[in-house]
């Protein structure tokens, strides 16, 4: 699946989308970078109005992991207001990179 093709919704994510954008994080239980990623994405979502942060346990949602081609954790998807993927990244992101990626979504 390429970015922008399929829209993700609250039913798939388990939480409501943000009004302007959504940061979706795939994590696993013993992933140390996932904890740092959770903190960075939570801080950015708290700073930017209308942006939500949704964390998904990759092991619990193997169907979605396969559908979206997530290969490792942490993986981050940036969704626009309608749930289309506009950016994706693997590994622990820097705050500045997350903020820049949001520019493509809002």
């Amino acid at each position: 699946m390429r970015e922008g093709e399929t829209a993700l919704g609250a039913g798939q994510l388990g939480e409501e989308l943000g009004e302007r954008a959504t940061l979706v994080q795939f994590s696993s239980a013993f992933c140390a970078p996932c904890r740092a990623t959770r903190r960075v994405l939570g801080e950015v979502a708290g700073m930017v109005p209308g942006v939500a942060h949704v964390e998904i346990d990759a092991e619990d949602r193997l169907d979605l992991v396969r559908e979206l081609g997530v290969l490792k954790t942490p993986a981050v998807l940036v969704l626009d207001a309608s749930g289309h993927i506009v950016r994706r990244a693997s590994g622990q992101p820097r705050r500045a990179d997350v903020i820049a990626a949001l520019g493509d979504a809002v």
Side-chain angles (χ1 to χ4, degrees):
M1 175 173 53
R2 290 191 338 248
E3 276 70 46
E5 284 186 359
T6 301
L8 299 173
Q12 291 163 296
L13 300 178
E15 294 184 36
E16 292 297 320
L17 295 174
E19 288 179 25
R20 298 177 65 203
T22 305
L23 301 170
V24 179
Q25 173 185 349
F26 285 89
S27 297
S28 52
F30 299 104
C31 167
C34 292
R35 289 187 289 277
T37 299
R38 178 184 311 120
R39 186 183 71 250
V40 169
L41 297 183
E43 288 172 0
V44 171
M47 290 173 16
V48 183
V51 174
H53 172 222
V54 175
E55 186 172 5
I56 296 172
D57 185 322
E59 296 168 19
D60 289 344
R61 295 298 313 275
L62 289 176
D63 58 329
L64 194 56
V65 165
R66 289 184 185 111
E67 179 183 339
L68 298 173
V70 173
L71 301 177
K72 66 179 188 174
T73 58
V76 178
L77 306 178
V78 179
L79 310 181
D80 64 14
S82 60
H84 289 94
I85 300 168
V86 295
R87 295 284 289 270
R88 63 169 58 219
S90 294
Q92 182 179 333
R94 296 179 313 145
R95 182 187 336 235
D97 293 334
V98 175
I99 293 168
L102 281 174
D104 292 340
V106 294

